[in-house]
């Protein structure tokens, strides 16, 4: 029986009143909401901060097409797919792709439909500098990016430019490309042109995308362009010059092109999280840490650590292996004391591309498992995945949202909680419009980000879904689709059609909350 919070004196019977008062007090304590009793507003559902940014991404070679149009020069992927089509799973190339060079306004419409707040895209170096050199500046190529940037801003979508997404101009590759120290000067010239042309409208910049991939897959073995097979040597030279070029361009930007101090520039690194296969086994714990330091630490430690330079474990391992190989110097280039200072701190945020995670255990057969020398022999870890994790169309891609949260905490603890911008995170399938696998992947990973932000206090400021449209997926060609929008590659206008994941993401962006259903 509910009496409410009555005044017992009105009953006039002291005995009864006493009983009723006691019952009433108990009921009032039980039934009045806790928030009212303590004068506290009820908690709201977990929400992404209002400053948190949502966007999507692409890269020039993967979507633009128009490979020989309006004065564009050749890049290393043009050459590889032309001369070695057998290295692409379906023998395809990016010659036409989604033809975003012609249909960029359709891409902008897709971004608007998805309610994206920013768009991360890359510049084709050889489209604006056909030979890679400033003397070959191509106005038609420059105007294309002017048009794209202006269309984005008109639709209230912030542009984020990536300067280098794997497509080195072929003429520079013929000079040696990334392993040649002269590339630092060429990259500085290229970046200067971009700043002079676009910095008045673009306030978010990335220098390099995933240097470990184009350095290791492109210079340490024969997987990616430019097919320089120099394991354990060319890959480290490539990485060294990436770090010096990034530092040069970072300092140039802040010294000359960011007068209003509203712009930011960072490097984009990709990484899994690596757990020990057996957390109680010291060797597995060491293997997991070594894998993390050789993968993410290779480029993050020189920039984001308090000491700078390469991770100590990386320096020691490569030095010792080089001595064992009877070399007179380490295969890992050495920074001078001045260079360590020059490189340290040269990124306003850590751009993080995350897809999946692994377990690690030390290899017992390193001498026969990998070439000697090689990056993989230096790392000396065997990686595996939990076979119960959902798998995408890409065989390497298994859904591990716990890995993303663990990785964000690892970065927080290793590098004093730097600003992290998740610049890629996505799922591949066969291109189906009802893309439930992508929705479930994004649901898990966005929840992991939210937990990392609100519970762990990781300094994560944005999330980028890879990719806005289906594209040429490097050596997988068109056999794997990462797009939020399906592309009909057989149609004359490369028709874009929203997949179910667009509505899912749009709801999160508009409410800033994870769906409950």
């Amino acid at each position: 029986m509910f009496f409410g919070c009555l005044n017992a004196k009105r009953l006039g019977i002291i005995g009864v009143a006493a009983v009723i008062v006691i019952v009433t007090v108990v009921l009032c304590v039980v039934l009045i909401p806790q928030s009212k009793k303590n004068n506290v507003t009820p908690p709201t559902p977990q929400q992404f901060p209002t400053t948190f940014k949502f966007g999507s991404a692409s890269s020039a070679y993967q979507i633009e097409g128009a490979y020989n149009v309006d004065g564009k020069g050749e890049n290393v992927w043009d050459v590889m797919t032309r001369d070695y089509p057998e290295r692409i799973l379906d023998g395809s190339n990016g010659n036409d792709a989604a033809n975003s060079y012609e249909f960029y306004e359709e891409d902008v419409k897709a971004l608007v439909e998805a309610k994206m707040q920013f768009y991360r895209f890359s510049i084709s170096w050889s489209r604006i500098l056909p030979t890679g050199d400033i003397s070959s500046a191509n106005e038609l190529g420059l105007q294309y990016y002017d048009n794209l940037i202006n269309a984005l801003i008109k639709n209230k979508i912030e542009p984020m430019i990536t300067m280098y997404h794997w497509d080195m101009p072929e003429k520079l590759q013929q000079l040696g490309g990334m392993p040649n120290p002269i590339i630092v000067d060429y990259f500085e010239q290229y970046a200067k042109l971009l700043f002079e042309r676009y910095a008045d409208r673009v306030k978010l910049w990335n220098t390099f995308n995933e240097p470990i991939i184009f350095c290791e897959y492109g210079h340490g073995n024969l997987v990616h362009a430019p097919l320089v097979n120099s394991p354990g040597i060319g890959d480290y030279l490539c990485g060294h010059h990436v770090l010096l070029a990034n530092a040069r361009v970072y300092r140039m930007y802040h010294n000359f092109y960011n007068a209003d101090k509203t712009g930011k520039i960072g490097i984009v690194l990709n990484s899994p999280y690596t757990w020990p296969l057996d957390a109680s086994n010291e060797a597995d714990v060491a293997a997991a840490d070594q894998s993390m330091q050789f993968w993410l630490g290779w480029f993050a430690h020189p920039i984001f650590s308090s000491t700078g330079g390469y991770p100590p474990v990386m320096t020691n391992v490569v030095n010792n292996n080089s001595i064992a190989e009877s070399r007179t110097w380490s295969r890992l280039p050495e920074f001078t004391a001045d260079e360590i200072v020059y490189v340290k701190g040269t990124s306003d945020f850590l751009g993080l591309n995350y897809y999946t995670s692994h377990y690690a255990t030390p290899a017992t057969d390193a001498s026969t498992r990998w070439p000697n020398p090689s990056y993989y022999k230096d790392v000396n870890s065997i990686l595996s995945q939990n076979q119960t994790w959902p798998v995408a169309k890409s065989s390497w891609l298994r859904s591990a949202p716990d890995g993303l949260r663990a990785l964000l905490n690892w970065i927080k603890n290793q590098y004093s909680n730097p600003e992290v911008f998740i610049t890629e995170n996505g799922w591949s399938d066969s291109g189906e419009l009802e893309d439930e696998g992508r929705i479930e992947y994004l649901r898990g990973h966005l929840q992991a980000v939210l937990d990392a932000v609100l519970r762990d206090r990781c300094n994560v400021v944005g999330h980028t879904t890879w990719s806005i449209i289906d594209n040429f997926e490097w050596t997988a060609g068109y056999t794997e689709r990462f797009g939020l929008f399906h592309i009909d590659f057989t149609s004359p206008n490369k028709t874009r059609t929203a997949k179910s994941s667009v509505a899912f993401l749009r709801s999160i962006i508009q409410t800033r909350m994870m769906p409950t259903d």
Side-chain angles (χ1 to χ4, degrees), residues 13 103 129 159 359 413 440 448 455:
I13 304 174
F103 300 121
L129 297 176
Y359 294 93
N413 296 329
E440 290 310 304
R455 297 183 181 181

Side-chain angles (χ1 to χ4, degrees), residues 315-331:
T315 301
N316 292 336
V317 166
V318 181
N319 282 351
N320 292 336
N321 286 351
S322 297
I323 291 170
E325 295 153 12
S326 301
R327 299 177 186 273
T328 54
W329 60 78
S330 175
R331 289 182 280 103

Side-chain angles (χ1 to χ4, degrees), residues 279-313:
S280 66
N281 185 313
E282 290 185 5
D284 285 4
V285 172
D289 180 69
Q290 186 157 311
S291 295
M292 290 296 300
Q293 296 294 349
F294 265 83
W295 190 276
L296 183 56
W298 179 359
F299 295 95
H301 196 278
I303 296 173
F304 295 99
S305 73
S306 60
T307 57
Y310 291 117
V313 66

Side-chain angles (χ1 to χ4, degrees), residues 137-349:
N138 176 24
E139 178 59 29
L140 289 176
L142 288 161
Q143 186 61 53
Y144 166 68
Y145 296 108
D146 269 322
N147 295 341
L148 173 57
I149 291 166
N150 291 340
L152 290 168
I153 293 172
K154 180 181 178 181
N155 286 278
K156 297 181 172 54
I157 297 169
E158 185 172 14
M160 174 189 270
I161 284 181
T162 300
M163 297 178 179
Y164 185 77
H165 199 126
W166 306 2
D167 47 357
M168 175 71 66
E170 175 61 16
K171 291 294 185 181
L172 293 185
Q173 186 57 43
Q174 291 172 4
L175 298 179
M178 286 294 178
N180 186 342
I182 195 66
I183 201 65
V184 177
D185 296 325
Y186 278 107
F187 189 73
E188 180 186 28
Q189 284 187 341
Y190 166 55
K192 184 174 185 288
L193 176 60
L194 297 184
F195 292 147
E196 290 177 347
R197 186 77 176 215
Y198 309 123
D200 61 325
R201 289 156 290 160
V202 177
K203 299 299 180 181
L204 288 174
W205 298 85
N206 309 141
T207 52
F208 294 93
N209 179 77
E210 299 185 346
I212 194 170
I213 299 298
F214 65 78
C215 287
E216 180 51 40
Y217 290 8
H219 296 80
N221 55 57
L222 295 172
V223 177
H224 281 189
L227 299 177
V228 175
N229 191 23
S230 179
I233 300 172
D235 38 14
Y236 291 142
L237 287 170
C238 170
H240 198 69
H241 300 141
V242 163
L243 287 162
L244 292 173
N246 173 78
R248 179 92 62 89
V249 169
Y250 173 90
R251 297 188 183 282
M252 177 175 64
Y253 177 65
H254 284 297
N255 287 338
F256 301 107
Y257 297 100
N258 191 28
D260 63 4
K261 305 303 179 186
T262 61
K264 291 186 176 184
I265 184 168
I267 192 168
V268 173
L269 308 178
N270 65 302
S271 183
Y273 183 72
T274 304
W275 290 283
L277 185 61
D278 180 353
S280 66
N281 185 313
E282 290 185 5
D284 285 4
V285 172
D289 180 69
Q290 186 157 311
S291 295
M292 290 296 300
Q293 296 294 349
F294 265 83
W295 190 276
L296 183 56
W298 179 359
F299 295 95
H301 196 278
I303 296 173
F304 295 99
S305 73
S306 60
T307 57
Y310 291 117
V313 66
M314 187 176 186
T315 301
N316 292 336
V317 166
V318 181
N319 282 351
N320 292 336
N321 286 351
S322 297
I323 291 170
E325 295 153 12
S326 301
R327 299 177 186 273
T328 54
W329 60 78
S330 175
R331 289 182 280 103
L332 182 67
E334 183 178 356
F335 287 117
T336 66
D338 287 343
E339 286 173 337
I340 289 175
V341 174
Y342 186 73
V343 171
K344 190 158 71 77
T346 54
S347 194
D348 296 321
F349 56 86

Side-chain angles (χ1 to χ4, degrees), residues 97-118:
N99 197 5
S100 289
Y101 187 73
E102 180 178 354
F103 300 121
Y104 69 91
E105 290 178 314
E106 297 303 309
D107 296 341
V108 175
K109 288 179 183 177
L111 292 158
V112 170
E113 183 177 344
K115 301 297 182 184
M116 294 298 177
Q117 297 171 291
F118 68 91

